[in-house]
Amino acid sequence: MEHITDSQGPLWEVFTQKKSGQPYQHAGSLHAFDKEMALENARDLFSRRGEATGLWVVPASEIVAVKPGDAAPFFDPADDKIYRHPTFYEVPEGVKNL
Amino acid sequence: MELQEKLDAFQQYIDAEEKIEPKDWMPDEYRRHCIRQISQHAHSEVIGMQPEGNWITRAPTLRAKKILLAKIQDEGGHGLYLYSAAETLGISRDEMIRQLHEGKAKYSSVFNYPTLNWADIGAIGWLVDGAAVTNQLSLRRTSYGPYSRAMLRICNEESFHQRQGYEIMTKMANGTPEQRRMAQDALDRWWWPALMMFGPHDNNSPRTYNGIVWKIKRAGNDELRQRFIDKTVPQAEFLGLKIPDPQLQWNEATGHYETGEINWDEFHRVISGDGPCNRQRMEHHKRVHEEGAWVREAAEAFARRRKAENLTEAIA
Ligand SMILES: [Fe+2]
Ligand SMILES: [Fe+2]
């Protein structure tokens, strides 16, 4: 694939919070030349109908992710620890509010 | 892993309705197919702003003007969601725009028709957005994750597009005899181009097969077209307007409408550049892109200077 310098500015990832108190979720990505422009573009692109009460923008180059090929071994330490789930435990009959 | 093993594992993953994400391994042809389909979809959203933009300054009321502006702004946003989705496959935004300008990437042929009267804006929202949303609802289940997420977002926004178009048609169809005539005229001119938006018959569409097997597309062109026809014909009847197809009839046995044949010569002529507005659309896009170059350059220079200032501050 041809690689040409992009004239649209670097890529940013956008996270929106739909309601106060809720977690921020990835909404999509956009191009912008600086932080202010990234925030304004994110507002115009991802919250034209009041979909956001909060916005984060992060340069895409700063995001660190698990490589898909490494995901299985990376996450497998949790696989054999069923005692981390409440369903692992037996609650004696007659005991309430546990 | 051998290539065949990888391909088999890829197909199994897709058959299990899992989504392919940007960093996952994928066959080169899957990547190319997605880039082609998503970038053409993006170009269609953006070029589609032109025929409607033609009426912003002449909208009959301030209310109509505000609605049209909001609708067109949404289409620009749809273009941006889709360009971003295509970029995750390794193609740059610049390259996609270059391919559009060089005629290597296409966009939906429907946007090469002119908007001659105000009822055309109604017909576009009702028929063109109606056809687009039929396709896009199905594409929410596409196997490529970023494309699927863009479709979800777009479908949520589309719901008002079709309604605002149908509202214009309702007003015109129930208005003065002249308005009624304009509404019928708009339907006459937009009906067939809207049906062409679904593309050639599946048995004439070389790419449908791969697209369906890899679940990039979730339904064939003909099936989607039929869905659109079945829901749109009763809407035209409600308006008291006549679909411009003498062969149109309801088939009791199949539960579907049957239509006459699409003029495929016209379809191929318009898609290959010889429609009423192809040159105008492309010239406009190029001119605006070139006229905006100084804005991008200035923004880049400003960002560079800001960075340098922040660095000297940090050192001082
Ligand atoms: Fe759209
Ligand atoms: Fe739309």
Side-chain angles (χ1 to χ4, degrees), chain B residues 34-60:
Chain B
C34 283
I35 288 178
R36 184 173 51 232
Q37 181 171 331
I38 301 170
S39 70
Q40 293 185 5
H41 196 157
H43 297 323
S44 301
E45 300 282 354
V46 171
I47 297 291
M49 297 164 81
Q50 290 186 41
E52 292 182 299
N54 182 31
W55 280 88
I56 291 174
T57 55
R58 292 176 290 159

Side-chain angles (χ1 to χ4, degrees), chain B residues 243-259:
Chain B
I243 302 270
D245 180 357
Q247 279 160 274
L248 182 78
Q249 58 175 352
W250 172 251
N251 184 327
E252 195 74 52
T254 59
H256 294 296
Y257 285 94
E258 286 169 2
T259 57

Side-chain angles (χ1 to χ4, degrees), chain B residues 119-139:
Chain B
D120 286 32
I121 298 305
I124 288 183
W126 174 35
L127 301 174
V128 177
D129 286 77
V133 85
T134 307
N135 187 29
Q136 293 174 152
L137 283 170
S138 156
L139 284 171

Side-chain angles (χ1 to χ4, degrees), chain B residues 188-203:
Chain B
D188 290 347
R189 283 180 292 104
W190 289 96
W191 173 253
W192 291 106
L195 295 193
M196 292 177 199
M197 285 173 71
F198 296 96
H201 289 309
D202 294 313
N203 49 16

Side-chain angles (χ1 to χ4, degrees), chain B residues 63-307:
Chain B
R63 177 183 183 273
K65 184 175 183 164
K66 280 157 69 176
I67 291 172
L68 184 57
L69 271 169
K71 199 266 188 193
I72 296 172
Q73 193 186 5
D74 273 357
E75 305 301 3
H78 297 173
L80 292 178
Y81 302 152
L82 287 159
Y83 283 129
S84 289
E87 281 172 73
T88 62
L89 291 156
I91 185 168
S92 74
R93 181 90 48 108
D94 270 9
E95 176 59 20
M96 282 185 270
I97 292 172
R98 196 182 346 269
Q99 289 180 357
L100 174 70
H101 288 177
E102 289 173 358
K104 285 181 194 148
K106 302 214 182 304
Y107 56 88
S108 179
S109 63
V110 78
F111 300 117
N112 291 314
Y113 292 85
T115 38
L116 303 179
N117 78 53
W118 174 249
D120 286 32
I121 298 305
I124 288 183
W126 174 35
L127 301 174
V128 177
D129 286 77
V133 85
T134 307
N135 187 29
Q136 293 174 152
L137 283 170
S138 156
L139 284 171
R140 288 178 303 180
R141 292 173 57 239
T142 180
S143 59
Y144 189 55
Y147 193 25
S148 164
R149 293 191 282 276
M151 284 300 111
L152 278 170
R153 194 169 279 283
I154 286 177
C155 285
N156 286 339
E157 298 188 359
E158 280 293 340
S159 44
F160 112 75
H161 295 186
Q162 215 194 347
R163 285 192 187 184
Q164 64 84 33
Y166 197 70
E167 187 194 79
I168 294 174
M169 292 307 282
T170 312
K171 279 188 187 162
M172 303 278 289
N174 295 306
T176 62
E178 176 65 0
Q179 284 176 314
R180 204 178 162 71
R181 197 193 56 73
M182 287 162 82
Q184 181 62 54
D185 173 50
L187 172 57
D188 290 347
R189 283 180 292 104
W190 289 96
W191 173 253
W192 291 106
L195 295 193
M196 292 177 199
M197 285 173 71
F198 296 96
H201 289 309
D202 294 313
N203 49 16
N204 284 331
S205 179
R207 286 185 191 122
T208 302
Y209 177 74
N210 261 348
I212 296 273
V213 170
W214 279 330
K215 299 190 194 292
I216 300 170
K217 278 197 72 147
R218 300 307 305 255
N221 297 349
D222 291 316
E223 184 187 338
L224 291 167
R225 185 165 23 238
Q226 190 65 50
R227 258 182 234 175
F228 170 71
I229 292 166
D230 289 342
K231 61 186 177 187
T232 309
V233 173
Q235 294 168 354
E237 279 167 5
F238 179 84
L239 295 172
L241 298 177
K242 200 170 172 310
I243 302 270
D245 180 357
Q247 279 160 274
L248 182 78
Q249 58 175 352
W250 172 251
N251 184 327
E252 195 74 52
T254 59
H256 294 296
Y257 285 94
E258 286 169 2
T259 57
E261 192 49 278
I262 288 170
N263 181 345
W264 293 112
D265 286 343
E266 176 181 328
F267 171 78
H268 290 295
R269 208 169 51 237
V270 178
I271 206 101
S272 59
D274 210 11
C277 301
N278 296 57
R279 283 188 51 197
Q280 183 187 334
R281 300 286 183 248
M282 207 40 60
E283 273 165 21
H284 182 86
H285 194 280
K286 282 182 191 161
R287 181 173 58 75
V288 173
H289 188 69
E290 280 158 23
E291 282 173 4
W294 74 269
V295 179
R296 295 189 291 275
E297 279 160 25
E300 206 164 9
F302 182 72
R304 255 200 317 271
R305 203 180 71 191
R306 265 287 182 78
K307 223 179 206 170

Side-chain angles (χ1 to χ4, degrees), chain A residues 1-9 11 16 18 26-31 33-37 44-49 51 65-69, chain B residues 23-24 31 35 70 73-74 76-78 80-81 84 87 89-95 97-98 149 153 157 160-161 289 296 299-300 302-303 306:
Chain A
M1 201 143 301
E2 238 180 307
H3 275 286
I4 298 146
T5 32
D6 211 84
S7 63
Q8 317 269 333
L11 191 68
T16 55
K18 293 207 171 100
H26 186 236
S29 39
L30 52 77
H31 288 273
F33 290 92
D34 60 25
K35 297 177 199 171
E36 287 80 14
M37 192 187 271
D44 294 345
L45 196 54
F46 295 106
S47 187
R48 284 197 299 280
R49 293 174 178 79
E51 294 100 323
V66 179
K67 290 198 193 85
Chain B
K23 300 268 163 60
D24 291 347
R31 186 183 300 276
I35 288 178
Q73 193 186 5
D74 273 357
H78 297 173
L80 292 178
Y81 302 152
S84 289
E87 281 172 73
L89 291 156
I91 185 168
S92 74
R93 181 90 48 108
D94 270 9
E95 176 59 20
I97 292 172
R98 196 182 346 269
R149 293 191 282 276
R153 194 169 279 283
E157 298 188 359
F160 112 75
H161 295 186
H289 188 69
R296 295 189 291 275
E300 206 164 9
F302 182 72
R306 265 287 182 78

